[in-house]
Amino acid sequence: MRGTRPSARSARPGPSAGPRPVRRPPESHPLGSGHERRQALRPGHGRLQRYRPRTGEAARRAGHDLIVNAEDEARLERAIRQIREAGTAVHTVPADLRFPGRTEALYAAVTATGRPLDVAVLNAGVGRGGAFVDNHLADELEVVDLNVRSTVHLAKPVLRDMAARDAGRVLVTSSVASTTPGSYQAVYNASKSFLQALRNEFEDTGITLTSLMPGPTDTDLLQRAGMDDTPVCRQDKDDPAPVARQGPDALFAGRDKLTAGSARTKAQGLAGKVLPDRLKAEALRRMAEPDSGEGG
């Protein structure tokens, strides 16, 4: 939002301030008539290849064209071919969002179309497993740079523009890990919880923010996080296809959050609401500590 500070206090208008979201009655959250082609933005990272085709199907059903991003150009192009097969118009912006200049280039590509952005899916993320004192500082700052800094950097202009129009939808890929103290993945867990607080700032406006909270999913996230030698990496994981389908469904239904995936993941989400932090941290330690269990 333009000029809106992340606190409950009113911000004094200044040179950088802009329009605040217009409050609407609870029953009214319009996005538009649906008779024109809309635009959706989808930045990605490790989960690109398995999730992107489902995004194409959702975009086609909703009448959106796509701008998509990933840092791996080869994987991006493979996914784009699948999206186009679903009949969706798509433009690619290869960029590593750990670097501020590349994040700005991505949003510049959006604004260069001259069309309003109706939907943003903030999906870029990376993990890092291991004991906090053993991990290299640079590796954990990479998690902060991609999961936190780049998401804030992109969400800021996206939400300001949506606030000016009082219309838009944002889907943030969070995690069930965001509800648990992160033994052996402390920085990752923290990085997945911070944007959920924004939902309340847009209450009763034309903007919705939905948090998608998957559990362990069959992508390469855990391998990229260096967690091959952990029980959570060896266990059966959720199929990414239904998880990816559930995200847009929750977004267009206006839900505030969704624990996506299998019954086991949904049970984990429920447990996160009632168990004390001490027990949740110990349970996560048993799953995320290296060499702490056998396969299965």
Side-chain angles (χ1 to χ4, degrees):
M1 294 181 292
R2 295 189 190 278
T4 302
R5 303 184 187 278
S7 70
R9 298 190 300 273
S10 297
R12 179 176 297 174
S16 63
R20 298 177 183 276
V22 177
R23 297 286 173 178
R24 293 184 182 273
E27 69 274 7
S28 179
H29 295 272
L31 255 183
S33 66
H35 296 301
E36 60 182 15
R37 293 296 295 179
R38 298 169 177 169
Q39 182 169 231
L41 168 67
R42 180 69 183 264
H45 204 73
R47 284 172 281 191
L48 162 73
Q49 190 174 16
R50 303 293 293 277
Y51 278 21
R52 195 71 67 225
R54 297 293 178 177
T55 302
E57 293 174 12
R60 177 181 55 78
R61 292 197 305 269
H64 290 88
D65 298 334
L66 282 175
I67 296 178
V68 298
N69 152 263
E71 97 286 12
D72 187 326
E73 293 191 41
R75 296 181 72 181
L76 180 60
E77 288 304 318
R78 287 196 297 270
I80 290 310
R81 286 196 294 270
Q82 294 175 296
I83 291 175
R84 287 175 176 149
E85 289 172 1
T88 302
V90 58
H91 175 67
T92 63
V93 183
D96 188 338
L97 301 185
R98 292 174 300 172
F99 301 100
R102 302 312 300 154
T103 304
E104 293 170 2
L106 173 58
Y107 197 69
V110 176
T111 58
T113 67
R115 298 162 60 190
L117 180 66
D118 288 294
V119 176
V121 181
L122 305 182
N123 181 58
V126 68
R128 175 55 53 187
F132 182 79
V133 297
D134 294 337
N135 287 343
H136 293 296
L137 177 61
D139 289 339
E140 296 199 316
L141 289 180
E142 180 180 273
V143 176
V144 174
D145 282 340
L146 185 62
N147 298 15
V148 180
R149 187 207 53 74
S150 81
T151 303
V152 171
H153 196 162
L154 195 55
K156 185 74 71 171
V158 164
L159 286 169
R160 281 178 169 172
D161 288 348
M162 288 180 176
R165 294 183 290 113
D166 191 35
R169 298 181 188 266
V170 178
L171 179 66
V172 178
T173 302
S174 179
S175 170
V176 292
S178 67
T179 67
T180 301
S183 303
Y184 290 91
Q185 50 183 35
V187 176
Y188 174 77
N189 283 33
S191 77
K192 286 298 178 179
S193 63
F194 77 103
L195 268 182
Q196 295 186 39
L198 285 180
R199 170 77 183 192
N200 182 259
E201 294 189 26
F202 295 100
E203 197 71 31
D204 300 331
T205 75
I207 301 166
T208 61
L209 192 146
T210 301
S211 179
L212 176 65
M213 302 171 63
T217 306
D218 190 15
T219 70
D220 59 3
L221 178 68
L222 293 172
Q223 288 80 8
R224 290 163 65 101
M227 298 179 69
D228 301 77
D229 57 348
T230 63
V232 69
C233 192
R234 293 189 291 262
Q235 74 176 25
D236 292 336
K237 291 177 279 294
D238 290 345
D239 182 350
V243 172
R245 184 169 55 248
Q246 290 164 21
D249 289 347
L251 174 71
F252 289 109
R255 297 184 60 174
D256 59 344
K257 64 176 63 176
L258 173 71
T259 301
S262 64
R264 178 178 59 188
T265 296
K266 294 181 184 298
Q268 184 180 349
L270 289 173
K273 297 178 180 180
V274 297
L275 292 179
D277 284 352
R278 177 181 58 82
L279 293 181
K280 290 190 289 185
E282 182 57 34
L284 181 60
R285 176 176 184 149
R286 290 197 296 269
M287 298 304 296
E289 185 174 7
D291 296 321
S292 59
E294 298 301 324

